[in-house]
Amino acid sequence: MSRIRTPQLGRREVVAGLAALTTFSLAPGPRAAAKAPLVATPAQTEGPFYPTDWSGDSDNDLVRVTGAAARAQGEVTHVIGRVLDTSGAPIADAAIEIWQCDANGIYRHPADRRLVHGRDDGFQGRGRARSGKDGDYSFRTIRPVAYPGRTPHIHFAILAPGRAPLITQMYVAGEPLNQRDGILNRIDRRQRDSVIVQLQPGDRIEEQALVGTFDIVLGS
């Protein structure tokens, strides 16, 4: 596994209305039965394209870049969820970073020289957020796309107070390439299911957008 970098957050702009949509009550009812521990989110490779430059616009909205004339190409997708421990308790103030390729399959990284002139300058390529008091977080990005050798995915880095950093990846349910992706299929089956997310119509958040829920469970 690649060396884990410690995420360092700068200022971020929160997409309007998402905080309310990602806040969930974790308080059990008076007769709630004891629950089995949650499956910890598996660690995965950081890959070769961890962002080298976090200057400029690097908030939780990857679809709009300050100063860019147009928004990102691709299908707008909201990724929402919570950061939890294995008991289901929320973890607040966790630093969360994501990075992914653009709609042309190109990363915002100097080492990715594939079709450099075809890179989408309207796509931020990486973003940062912090979990709220209920562990909730949100990103506005694009539906991940495949590129040679990989099924569609989004990279995540999480650093929570008092815990080791976690690098993982989120995948899209129903993608045919999932069956042939070596990095995904090296994960234990139970943990594998926890990083595959169903994307659904997200019109309640944004018209003609998708939404997926990706809860991140940090082990001890």
mmCIF file of all heavy atoms in Angstrom, residues 151-188:
data_model
loop_
_atom_site.group_PDB
_atom_site.id
_atom_site.type_symbol
_atom_site.label_atom_id
_atom_site.label_comp_id
_atom_site.label_asym_id
_atom_site.label_seq_id
_atom_site.Cartn_x
_atom_site.Cartn_y
_atom_site.Cartn_z
ATOM 1 N N THR A 151 -11.838 0.335 -13.030
ATOM 2 C CA THR A 151 -13.270 0.601 -13.015
ATOM 3 C C THR A 151 -13.494 1.991 -12.416
ATOM 4 O O THR A 151 -12.609 2.513 -11.721
ATOM 5 C CB THR A 151 -13.995 -0.482 -12.197
ATOM 6 O OG1 THR A 151 -15.402 -0.413 -12.448
ATOM 7 C CG2 THR A 151 -13.755 -0.327 -10.708
ATOM 8 N N PRO A 152 -14.648 2.626 -12.643
ATOM 9 C CA PRO A 152 -14.893 3.945 -12.059
ATOM 10 C C PRO A 152 -14.755 3.938 -10.536
ATOM 11 O O PRO A 152 -15.252 3.039 -9.862
ATOM 12 C CB PRO A 152 -16.333 4.258 -12.482
ATOM 13 C CG PRO A 152 -16.512 3.507 -13.759
ATOM 14 C CD PRO A 152 -15.745 2.229 -13.563
ATOM 15 N N HIS A 153 -14.097 4.968 -9.999
ATOM 16 C CA HIS A 153 -13.878 5.039 -8.559
ATOM 17 C C HIS A 153 -13.534 6.468 -8.155
ATOM 18 O O HIS A 153 -13.134 7.284 -8.984
ATOM 19 C CB HIS A 153 -12.749 4.097 -8.122
ATOM 20 C CG HIS A 153 -11.431 4.419 -8.749
ATOM 21 N ND1 HIS A 153 -11.116 4.065 -10.044
ATOM 22 C CD2 HIS A 153 -10.341 5.094 -8.268
ATOM 23 C CE1 HIS A 153 -9.895 4.495 -10.341
ATOM 24 N NE2 HIS A 153 -9.407 5.130 -9.278
ATOM 25 N N ILE A 154 -13.680 6.749 -6.866
ATOM 26 C CA ILE A 154 -13.260 8.015 -6.264
ATOM 27 C C ILE A 154 -12.334 7.673 -5.102
ATOM 28 O O ILE A 154 -12.663 6.823 -4.269
ATOM 29 C CB ILE A 154 -14.468 8.835 -5.757
ATOM 30 C CG1 ILE A 154 -15.420 9.168 -6.912
ATOM 31 C CG2 ILE A 154 -13.989 10.125 -5.074
ATOM 32 C CD1 ILE A 154 -16.709 9.856 -6.465
ATOM 33 N N HIS A 155 -11.194 8.326 -5.035
ATOM 34 C CA HIS A 155 -10.259 8.126 -3.925
ATOM 35 C C HIS A 155 -10.686 8.973 -2.721
ATOM 36 O O HIS A 155 -11.106 10.121 -2.887
ATOM 37 C CB HIS A 155 -8.847 8.546 -4.338
ATOM 38 C CG HIS A 155 -8.253 7.717 -5.421
ATOM 39 N ND1 HIS A 155 -7.464 6.618 -5.171
ATOM 40 C CD2 HIS A 155 -8.325 7.822 -6.772
ATOM 41 C CE1 HIS A 155 -7.070 6.088 -6.313
ATOM 42 N NE2 HIS A 155 -7.582 6.796 -7.305
ATOM 43 N N PHE A 156 -10.528 8.407 -1.539
ATOM 44 C CA PHE A 156 -10.827 9.108 -0.284
ATOM 45 C C PHE A 156 -9.626 9.007 0.650
ATOM 46 O O PHE A 156 -8.985 7.954 0.743
ATOM 47 C CB PHE A 156 -12.016 8.460 0.431
ATOM 48 C CG PHE A 156 -13.367 8.916 -0.035
ATOM 49 C CD1 PHE A 156 -13.875 8.508 -1.261
ATOM 50 C CD2 PHE A 156 -14.157 9.747 0.750
ATOM 51 C CE1 PHE A 156 -15.122 8.907 -1.696
ATOM 52 C CE2 PHE A 156 -15.412 10.152 0.339
ATOM 53 C CZ PHE A 156 -15.902 9.734 -0.896
ATOM 54 N N ALA A 157 -9.341 10.085 1.365
ATOM 55 C CA ALA A 157 -8.387 10.082 2.472
ATOM 56 C C ALA A 157 -9.092 10.683 3.686
ATOM 57 O O ALA A 157 -9.722 11.734 3.574
ATOM 58 C CB ALA A 157 -7.152 10.897 2.128
ATOM 59 N N ILE A 158 -9.014 9.987 4.811
ATOM 60 C CA ILE A 158 -9.709 10.434 6.020
ATOM 61 C C ILE A 158 -8.736 10.474 7.182
ATOM 62 O O ILE A 158 -8.000 9.513 7.430
ATOM 63 C CB ILE A 158 -10.890 9.485 6.382
ATOM 64 C CG1 ILE A 158 -11.867 9.369 5.211
ATOM 65 C CG2 ILE A 158 -11.626 9.999 7.620
ATOM 66 C CD1 ILE A 158 -11.619 8.171 4.312
ATOM 67 N N LEU A 159 -8.724 11.591 7.890
ATOM 68 C CA LEU A 159 -7.928 11.724 9.105
ATOM 69 C C LEU A 159 -8.838 12.220 10.212
ATOM 70 O O LEU A 159 -9.349 13.341 10.149
ATOM 71 C CB LEU A 159 -6.765 12.694 8.910
ATOM 72 C CG LEU A 159 -5.888 12.908 10.155
ATOM 73 C CD1 LEU A 159 -5.210 11.599 10.556
ATOM 74 C CD2 LEU A 159 -4.847 13.993 9.909
ATOM 75 N N ALA A 160 -9.071 11.375 11.211
ATOM 76 C CA ALA A 160 -9.929 11.720 12.333
ATOM 77 C C ALA A 160 -9.085 11.893 13.585
ATOM 78 O O ALA A 160 -8.045 11.241 13.736
ATOM 79 C CB ALA A 160 -10.977 10.632 12.556
ATOM 80 N N PRO A 161 -9.509 12.757 14.491
ATOM 81 C CA PRO A 161 -8.735 12.999 15.711
ATOM 82 C C PRO A 161 -8.449 11.703 16.466
ATOM 83 O O PRO A 161 -9.352 10.899 16.720
ATOM 84 C CB PRO A 161 -9.647 13.922 16.524
ATOM 85 C CG PRO A 161 -10.499 14.618 15.495
ATOM 86 C CD PRO A 161 -10.725 13.589 14.419
ATOM 87 N N GLY A 162 -7.187 11.468 16.791
ATOM 88 C CA GLY A 162 -6.806 10.310 17.592
ATOM 89 C C GLY A 162 -6.803 8.995 16.858
ATOM 90 O O GLY A 162 -6.683 7.941 17.495
ATOM 91 N N ARG A 163 -6.921 9.010 15.519
ATOM 92 C CA ARG A 163 -6.969 7.762 14.747
ATOM 93 C C ARG A 163 -5.952 7.802 13.610
ATOM 94 O O ARG A 163 -5.565 8.876 13.136
ATOM 95 C CB ARG A 163 -8.376 7.529 14.168
ATOM 96 C CG ARG A 163 -9.428 7.296 15.239
ATOM 97 C CD ARG A 163 -10.810 7.179 14.645
ATOM 98 N NE ARG A 163 -11.797 6.970 15.672
ATOM 99 C CZ ARG A 163 -12.204 5.775 16.100
ATOM 100 N NH1 ARG A 163 -11.714 4.676 15.545
ATOM 101 N NH2 ARG A 163 -13.106 5.676 17.052
ATOM 102 N N ALA A 164 -5.548 6.619 13.179
ATOM 103 C CA ALA A 164 -4.624 6.538 12.051
ATOM 104 C C ALA A 164 -5.339 6.979 10.778
ATOM 105 O O ALA A 164 -6.536 6.733 10.610
ATOM 106 C CB ALA A 164 -4.107 5.108 11.905
ATOM 107 N N PRO A 165 -4.636 7.624 9.850
ATOM 108 C CA PRO A 165 -5.257 8.003 8.577
ATOM 109 C C PRO A 165 -5.723 6.768 7.800
ATOM 110 O O PRO A 165 -5.142 5.688 7.919
ATOM 111 C CB PRO A 165 -4.125 8.719 7.825
ATOM 112 C CG PRO A 165 -3.155 9.129 8.884
ATOM 113 C CD PRO A 165 -3.235 8.072 9.950
ATOM 114 N N LEU A 166 -6.787 6.956 7.021
ATOM 115 C CA LEU A 166 -7.311 5.896 6.164
ATOM 116 C C LEU A 166 -7.343 6.385 4.733
ATOM 117 O O LEU A 166 -7.849 7.475 4.451
ATOM 118 C CB LEU A 166 -8.727 5.493 6.592
ATOM 119 C CG LEU A 166 -9.461 4.515 5.654
ATOM 120 C CD1 LEU A 166 -8.812 3.134 5.700
ATOM 121 C CD2 LEU A 166 -10.949 4.431 5.996
ATOM 122 N N ILE A 167 -6.808 5.578 3.825
ATOM 123 C CA ILE A 167 -6.960 5.808 2.384
ATOM 124 C C ILE A 167 -7.847 4.693 1.846
ATOM 125 O O ILE A 167 -7.614 3.513 2.117
ATOM 126 C CB ILE A 167 -5.604 5.749 1.655
ATOM 127 C CG1 ILE A 167 -4.632 6.779 2.211
ATOM 128 C CG2 ILE A 167 -5.811 5.930 0.148
ATOM 129 C CD1 ILE A 167 -4.945 8.196 1.850
ATOM 130 N N THR A 168 -8.893 5.059 1.109
ATOM 131 C CA THR A 168 -9.788 4.053 0.543
ATOM 132 C C THR A 168 -10.324 4.547 -0.792
ATOM 133 O O THR A 168 -9.941 5.626 -1.259
ATOM 134 C CB THR A 168 -10.917 3.712 1.530
ATOM 135 O OG1 THR A 168 -11.590 2.524 1.106
ATOM 136 C CG2 THR A 168 -11.918 4.854 1.668
ATOM 137 N N GLN A 169 -11.195 3.762 -1.405
ATOM 138 C CA GLN A 169 -11.802 4.149 -2.673
ATOM 139 C C GLN A 169 -13.285 3.784 -2.655
ATOM 140 O O GLN A 169 -13.675 2.796 -2.031
ATOM 141 C CB GLN A 169 -11.106 3.446 -3.855
ATOM 142 C CG GLN A 169 -9.643 3.826 -3.995
ATOM 143 C CD GLN A 169 -8.936 3.106 -5.113
ATOM 144 O OE1 GLN A 169 -9.530 2.779 -6.136
ATOM 145 N NE2 GLN A 169 -7.644 2.865 -4.943
ATOM 146 N N MET A 170 -14.092 4.596 -3.332
ATOM 147 C CA MET A 170 -15.518 4.342 -3.473
ATOM 148 C C MET A 170 -15.804 3.925 -4.910
ATOM 149 O O MET A 170 -15.285 4.530 -5.848
ATOM 150 C CB MET A 170 -16.317 5.615 -3.147
ATOM 151 C CG MET A 170 -17.827 5.422 -3.115
ATOM 152 S SD MET A 170 -18.747 6.980 -3.291
ATOM 153 C CE MET A 170 -19.044 6.995 -5.073
ATOM 154 N N TYR A 171 -16.640 2.890 -5.069
ATOM 155 C CA TYR A 171 -16.968 2.345 -6.383
ATOM 156 C C TYR A 171 -18.464 2.478 -6.647
ATOM 157 O O TYR A 171 -19.252 2.733 -5.730
ATOM 158 C CB TYR A 171 -16.545 0.877 -6.457
ATOM 159 C CG TYR A 171 -15.063 0.676 -6.236
ATOM 160 C CD1 TYR A 171 -14.547 0.552 -4.952
ATOM 161 C CD2 TYR A 171 -14.177 0.634 -7.310
ATOM 162 C CE1 TYR A 171 -13.179 0.379 -4.738
ATOM 163 C CE2 TYR A 171 -12.823 0.455 -7.108
ATOM 164 C CZ TYR A 171 -12.324 0.334 -5.821
ATOM 165 O OH TYR A 171 -10.977 0.174 -5.614
ATOM 166 N N VAL A 172 -18.858 2.259 -7.904
ATOM 167 C CA VAL A 172 -20.251 2.437 -8.315
ATOM 168 C C VAL A 172 -20.895 1.071 -8.560
ATOM 169 O O VAL A 172 -20.372 0.251 -9.328
ATOM 170 C CB VAL A 172 -20.334 3.288 -9.598
ATOM 171 C CG1 VAL A 172 -21.782 3.421 -10.061
ATOM 172 C CG2 VAL A 172 -19.715 4.663 -9.355
ATOM 173 N N ALA A 173 -22.019 0.838 -7.902
ATOM 174 C CA ALA A 173 -22.743 -0.426 -8.067
ATOM 175 C C ALA A 173 -23.198 -0.592 -9.506
ATOM 176 O O ALA A 173 -23.626 0.363 -10.160
ATOM 177 C CB ALA A 173 -23.945 -0.463 -7.119
ATOM 178 N N GLY A 174 -23.091 -1.838 -10.010
ATOM 179 C CA GLY A 174 -23.577 -2.151 -11.341
ATOM 180 C C GLY A 174 -22.598 -1.922 -12.463
ATOM 181 O O GLY A 174 -22.908 -2.234 -13.621
ATOM 182 N N GLU A 175 -21.413 -1.408 -12.165
ATOM 183 C CA GLU A 175 -20.419 -1.197 -13.219
ATOM 184 C C GLU A 175 -19.857 -2.548 -13.670
ATOM 185 O O GLU A 175 -19.319 -3.300 -12.858
ATOM 186 C CB GLU A 175 -19.279 -0.309 -12.709
ATOM 187 C CG GLU A 175 -19.628 1.160 -12.628
ATOM 188 C CD GLU A 175 -19.724 1.802 -14.021
ATOM 189 O OE1 GLU A 175 -19.217 1.214 -14.992
ATOM 190 O OE2 GLU A 175 -20.329 2.882 -14.113
ATOM 191 N N PRO A 176 -19.935 -2.866 -14.961
ATOM 192 C CA PRO A 176 -19.417 -4.159 -15.440
ATOM 193 C C PRO A 176 -17.938 -4.360 -15.127
ATOM 194 O O PRO A 176 -17.500 -5.485 -14.860
ATOM 195 C CB PRO A 176 -19.673 -4.101 -16.953
ATOM 196 C CG PRO A 176 -20.780 -3.119 -17.118
ATOM 197 C CD PRO A 176 -20.581 -2.094 -16.042
ATOM 198 N N LEU A 177 -17.154 -3.290 -15.147
ATOM 199 C CA LEU A 177 -15.718 -3.416 -14.912
ATOM 200 C C LEU A 177 -15.379 -3.747 -13.457
ATOM 201 O O LEU A 177 -14.234 -4.100 -13.163
ATOM 202 C CB LEU A 177 -14.996 -2.136 -15.337
ATOM 203 C CG LEU A 177 -14.931 -1.874 -16.846
ATOM 204 C CD1 LEU A 177 -14.290 -0.515 -17.126
ATOM 205 C CD2 LEU A 177 -14.163 -2.977 -17.554
ATOM 206 N N ASN A 178 -16.352 -3.641 -12.566
ATOM 207 C CA ASN A 178 -16.098 -4.012 -11.162
ATOM 208 C C ASN A 178 -15.607 -5.451 -11.056
ATOM 209 O O ASN A 178 -14.779 -5.782 -10.209
ATOM 210 C CB ASN A 178 -17.362 -3.853 -10.312
ATOM 211 C CG ASN A 178 -17.708 -2.402 -10.031
ATOM 212 O OD1 ASN A 178 -16.937 -1.495 -10.337
ATOM 213 N ND2 ASN A 178 -18.872 -2.181 -9.443
ATOM 214 N N GLN A 179 -16.143 -6.311 -11.921
ATOM 215 C CA GLN A 179 -15.808 -7.733 -11.858
ATOM 216 C C GLN A 179 -14.357 -8.007 -12.233
ATOM 217 O O GLN A 179 -13.798 -9.036 -11.859
ATOM 218 C CB GLN A 179 -16.735 -8.533 -12.790
ATOM 219 C CG GLN A 179 -18.211 -8.361 -12.488
ATOM 220 C CD GLN A 179 -18.578 -8.840 -11.090
ATOM 221 O OE1 GLN A 179 -18.066 -9.845 -10.632
ATOM 222 N NE2 GLN A 179 -19.443 -8.094 -10.417
ATOM 223 N N ARG A 180 -13.736 -7.075 -12.954
ATOM 224 C CA ARG A 180 -12.377 -7.309 -13.442
ATOM 225 C C ARG A 180 -11.345 -6.373 -12.819
ATOM 226 O O ARG A 180 -10.179 -6.414 -13.216
ATOM 227 C CB ARG A 180 -12.349 -7.157 -14.971
ATOM 228 C CG ARG A 180 -13.307 -8.099 -15.682
ATOM 229 C CD ARG A 180 -12.945 -8.259 -17.144
ATOM 230 N NE ARG A 180 -12.997 -7.013 -17.897
ATOM 231 C CZ ARG A 180 -14.093 -6.534 -18.476
ATOM 232 N NH1 ARG A 180 -15.240 -7.195 -18.373
ATOM 233 N NH2 ARG A 180 -14.059 -5.415 -19.167
ATOM 234 N N ASP A 181 -11.768 -5.543 -11.885
ATOM 235 C CA ASP A 181 -10.837 -4.591 -11.280
ATOM 236 C C ASP A 181 -10.039 -5.282 -10.172
ATOM 237 O O ASP A 181 -10.590 -5.677 -9.142
ATOM 238 C CB ASP A 181 -11.601 -3.389 -10.714
ATOM 239 C CG ASP A 181 -10.672 -2.262 -10.302
ATOM 240 O OD1 ASP A 181 -10.172 -2.297 -9.159
ATOM 241 O OD2 ASP A 181 -10.430 -1.365 -11.119
ATOM 242 N N GLY A 182 -8.740 -5.429 -10.375
ATOM 243 C CA GLY A 182 -7.919 -6.164 -9.420
ATOM 244 C C GLY A 182 -7.845 -5.519 -8.063
ATOM 245 O O GLY A 182 -7.843 -6.215 -7.034
ATOM 246 N N ILE A 183 -7.799 -4.191 -8.007
ATOM 247 C CA ILE A 183 -7.701 -3.504 -6.715
ATOM 248 C C ILE A 183 -8.977 -3.706 -5.912
ATOM 249 O O ILE A 183 -8.932 -3.984 -4.708
ATOM 250 C CB ILE A 183 -7.404 -2.008 -6.940
ATOM 251 C CG1 ILE A 183 -6.007 -1.849 -7.540
ATOM 252 C CG2 ILE A 183 -7.527 -1.224 -5.641
ATOM 253 C CD1 ILE A 183 -5.654 -0.424 -7.925
ATOM 254 N N LEU A 184 -10.122 -3.587 -6.566
ATOM 255 C CA LEU A 184 -11.395 -3.809 -5.876
ATOM 256 C C LEU A 184 -11.536 -5.255 -5.425
ATOM 257 O O LEU A 184 -11.944 -5.528 -4.287
ATOM 258 C CB LEU A 184 -12.551 -3.436 -6.812
ATOM 259 C CG LEU A 184 -13.965 -3.778 -6.333
ATOM 260 C CD1 LEU A 184 -14.281 -3.096 -5.006
ATOM 261 C CD2 LEU A 184 -14.993 -3.396 -7.399
ATOM 262 N N ASN A 185 -11.180 -6.193 -6.258
ATOM 263 C CA ASN A 185 -11.443 -7.599 -5.957
ATOM 264 C C ASN A 185 -10.435 -8.240 -5.016
ATOM 265 O O ASN A 185 -10.624 -9.392 -4.612
ATOM 266 C CB ASN A 185 -11.564 -8.387 -7.260
ATOM 267 C CG ASN A 185 -12.884 -8.087 -7.956
ATOM 268 O OD1 ASN A 185 -13.940 -8.503 -7.497
ATOM 269 N ND2 ASN A 185 -12.832 -7.338 -9.043
ATOM 270 N N ARG A 186 -9.410 -7.505 -4.629
ATOM 271 C CA ARG A 186 -8.511 -7.991 -3.585
ATOM 272 C C ARG A 186 -9.080 -7.781 -2.189
ATOM 273 O O ARG A 186 -8.546 -8.299 -1.207
ATOM 274 C CB ARG A 186 -7.147 -7.298 -3.694
ATOM 275 C CG ARG A 186 -6.272 -7.865 -4.798
ATOM 276 C CD ARG A 186 -4.814 -7.496 -4.607
ATOM 277 N NE ARG A 186 -4.570 -6.073 -4.773
ATOM 278 C CZ ARG A 186 -4.221 -5.515 -5.937
ATOM 279 N NH1 ARG A 186 -4.108 -6.265 -7.035
ATOM 280 N NH2 ARG A 186 -3.976 -4.223 -6.023
ATOM 281 N N ILE A 187 -10.167 -7.025 -2.091
ATOM 282 C CA ILE A 187 -10.787 -6.761 -0.785
ATOM 283 C C ILE A 187 -11.631 -7.961 -0.365
ATOM 284 O O ILE A 187 -12.301 -8.589 -1.192
ATOM 285 C CB ILE A 187 -11.693 -5.512 -0.849
ATOM 286 C CG1 ILE A 187 -10.931 -4.311 -1.411
ATOM 287 C CG2 ILE A 187 -12.244 -5.169 0.529
ATOM 288 C CD1 ILE A 187 -11.825 -3.111 -1.665
ATOM 289 N N ASP A 188 -11.628 -8.249 0.947
ATOM 290 C CA ASP A 188 -12.524 -9.254 1.511
ATOM 291 C C ASP A 188 -13.959 -8.921 1.121
ATOM 292 O O ASP A 188 -14.351 -7.747 1.066
ATOM 293 C CB ASP A 188 -12.367 -9.255 3.045
ATOM 294 C CG ASP A 188 -13.423 -10.090 3.729
ATOM 295 O OD1 ASP A 188 -13.246 -11.319 3.809
ATOM 296 O OD2 ASP A 188 -14.433 -9.512 4.175
#
